[in-house]
Amino acid sequence: MIISKITLENCLYYHLHAEQTITAAFTDGRDLGILEKEVTIFTFDKIIFDYNGIQSDKPTNLILNFDGIEAIQNNVLPKISELRKLNPNLVLINIKSTLIKELGLDNLFNNKNNKATDDGNFEVFYVSENLNIEFNSSTIQIFEKRFLQLLIEKYIDPVEIDKSFHSSSSVYLPKWINIKNFISNDNPFFIYAIYNLAIKTYSKWKYLFDIDESYKPILVCQNLNSSYISSILSNLLKTDILILDQIGPINKMYSTLDRKIENSKNYVVVSDLVCLGTEVKIAKSLIEFLGGNYLGNISIIRIQTIDPKHKDFRNTECVFTVDKTNNLVIGYKINTDLDN
């Protein structure tokens, strides 16, 4: 399965570290999760197979994103050559100069349009002597642009006014972001979103992951969607999961929580979407009441209802934020009876 294939503005992107991480975690038995740093021939074969499977309307440019890759398996150059034969407009982005040298590409192609970074690595390396195209090379911007496209095209569902009441937060939500359908209908890309969440989670609490196994955060699931997200996250982060059924203000949770929360262990609450954060606050209070150490909340989507200058978001992480900069095209609303 390919998870990171994105087509934007006549460019087809593959993110090698994301593909390698999933391959290593679920296929060949390696146990490094997101700490996987070497790209293998098998991952290139998957990309070649996928690219050959595109029957029509192939984008003009083929972009291989090396962000996160620090080493390559031996004999990868023939695979690069094969991809170049399939598409002469082949570009490598976010690639270390050591990998360019190891592949011998610095001797084969010395394109003056290559873009080097301050540390001597390459933001853009053209596998051509004269190719020069304009495109986005930012890993996170490429992902977020495609994520936003999918939300707008498929997963913003209007809600009938008499069904828009959101019981846990006592507000009305006239539009609903349908995460369940997102998981079902665009599962490979949703897994790519989870991969990105794993990268951000590790970066935020790296100091705990690096100390000892006992300090690793335990992922707390709140519902079926977050259980699915957590199951993949736990594989990528190599950490444990705590499953709690139907967390919410109207549910009695003490009978299950007090048997599962361990004293002084670190916990991160996993959500699919956080709007007003009511359920997260309840989970936080109960975790702390029962002796656990609440680190924060992670989610696929966060609705930013408060300006960051008025609220500290340091203990939260997400892969996509709905805020005033993008909500004009999304149209997400939170209403009360005062609005009617």
Side-chain angles (χ1 to χ4, degrees):
M1 176 174 61
I2 294 291
I3 66 169
S4 66
K5 180 169 66 175
I6 294 176
T7 300
L8 292 174
E9 298 166 354
N10 218 18
C11 290
L12 176 60
Y13 295 86
Y14 292 97
H15 186 181
L16 297 182
H17 186 258
E19 302 302 339
Q20 185 63 45
T21 298
I22 295 300
T23 297
F26 298 103
T27 304
D28 69 359
R30 293 170 64 113
D31 200 34
L32 296 176
I34 58 168
L35 297 183
E36 181 72 50
K37 299 298 181 184
E38 181 185 54
V39 62
T40 64
I41 289 175
F42 182 73
T43 291
F44 277 97
D45 284 338
K46 285 202 313 178
I47 291 172
I48 291 168
F49 181 81
D50 184 80
Y51 188 80
N52 280 324
I54 302 174
Q55 300 299 321
S56 60
D57 298 325
K58 286 187 177 181
T60 304
N61 309 302
L62 176 58
I63 317 292
L64 298 184
N65 187 353
F66 280 76
D67 190 7
I69 296 295
E70 297 181 2
I72 51 175
Q73 194 175 31
N74 292 335
N75 302 318
V76 163
L77 182 58
K79 301 299 179 181
I80 300 278
S81 300
E82 186 174 350
L83 283 167
R84 187 173 183 269
K85 289 178 182 177
L86 292 172
N87 190 329
N89 290 357
L90 176 63
V91 187
L92 314 182
I93 63 173
N94 305 313
I95 184 169
K96 293 185 178 297
S97 57
T98 53
L99 300 185
I100 293 293
K101 291 178 181 177
E102 188 173 345
L103 290 166
L105 294 175
D106 53 336
N107 295 324
L108 294 173
F109 307 105
N110 186 21
N111 190 322
K112 65 180 182 179
N113 299 311
N114 290 338
K115 297 179 182 179
T117 59
D118 293 338
D119 56 8
N121 296 316
F122 287 94
E123 178 186 344
V124 175
F125 186 93
Y126 294 105
V127 189
S128 165
E129 294 181 353
N130 51 27
L131 187 63
N132 185 22
I133 58 176
E134 291 295 325
F135 62 94
N136 196 332
S137 60
S138 166
T139 303
I140 189 63
Q141 289 178 15
I142 295 165
F143 165 78
E144 287 183 348
K145 188 167 185 178
R146 180 55 181 156
F147 193 98
L148 179 59
Q149 282 182 347
L150 286 172
L151 279 187
I152 296 171
E153 292 171 4
K154 299 182 179 182
Y155 302 117
I156 307 294
D157 294 345
V159 180
E160 295 178 17
I161 187 63
D162 60 337
K163 297 179 180 179
S164 65
F165 176 61
H166 194 261
S167 59
S168 68
S169 299
S170 297
V171 294
Y172 300 99
L173 301 176
K175 287 191 177 181
W176 184 258
I177 297 178
N178 198 328
I179 298 291
K180 183 178 180 181
N181 280 356
F182 202 152
I183 294 172
S184 299
N185 299 334
D186 279 289
N187 185 251
F189 186 79
F190 194 85
I191 293 176
Y192 186 39
I194 297 173
Y195 158 85
N196 278 283
L197 185 58
I199 294 292
K200 289 188 172 186
T201 302
Y202 179 80
S203 296
K204 181 173 286 293
W205 290 293
K206 183 177 184 298
Y207 67 100
L208 292 175
F209 282 95
D210 292 350
I211 294 174
D212 185 83
E213 287 288 327
S214 62
Y215 285 88
K216 282 186 176 182
I218 296 170
L219 306 177
V220 179
C221 311
Q222 296 179 273
N223 53 42
L224 288 177
N225 287 343
S226 66
S227 294
Y228 173 77
I229 295 165
S230 297
S231 67
I232 296 175
L233 276 177
S234 68
N235 235 305
L236 301 181
L237 295 170
K238 304 304 172 187
T239 190
D240 293 330
I241 302 174
L242 171 60
I243 299 176
L244 302 173
D245 296 332
Q246 298 180 343
I247 280 190
I250 61 173
N251 299 80
K252 295 181 180 179
M253 294 172 288
Y254 291 97
S255 61
T256 58
L257 273 167
D258 59 9
R259 294 196 301 268
K260 296 178 179 179
I261 299 297
E262 296 183 49
N263 191 46
S264 301
K265 287 284 188 178
N266 296 312
Y267 293 90
V268 171
V269 176
V270 180
S271 307
D272 49 0
L273 182 147
V274 175
C275 182
L276 297 178
T278 305
E279 295 179 3
V280 175
K281 292 173 185 175
I282 292 171
K284 174 182 182 294
S285 297
L286 288 171
I287 288 168
E288 292 179 337
F289 176 76
L290 294 168
N293 179 29
Y294 171 82
L295 295 178
N297 165 247
I298 59 176
S299 61
I300 298 297
I301 300 174
R302 184 177 73 240
I303 311 297
Q304 190 166 291
T305 58
I306 301 293
D307 192 303
K309 68 183 180 182
H310 296 134
K311 183 176 181 179
D312 187 353
F313 291 99
R314 282 182 298 178
N315 68 342
T316 67
E317 194 57 86
C318 67
V319 293
F320 190 82
T321 302
V322 176
D323 59 17
K324 61 185 178 183
T325 67
N326 57 26
N327 194 43
L328 183 63
V329 292
I330 295 173
Y332 195 87
K333 289 185 177 180
I334 300 171
N335 294 335
T336 69
D337 193 49
L338 298 176
D339 300 305
N340 299 324

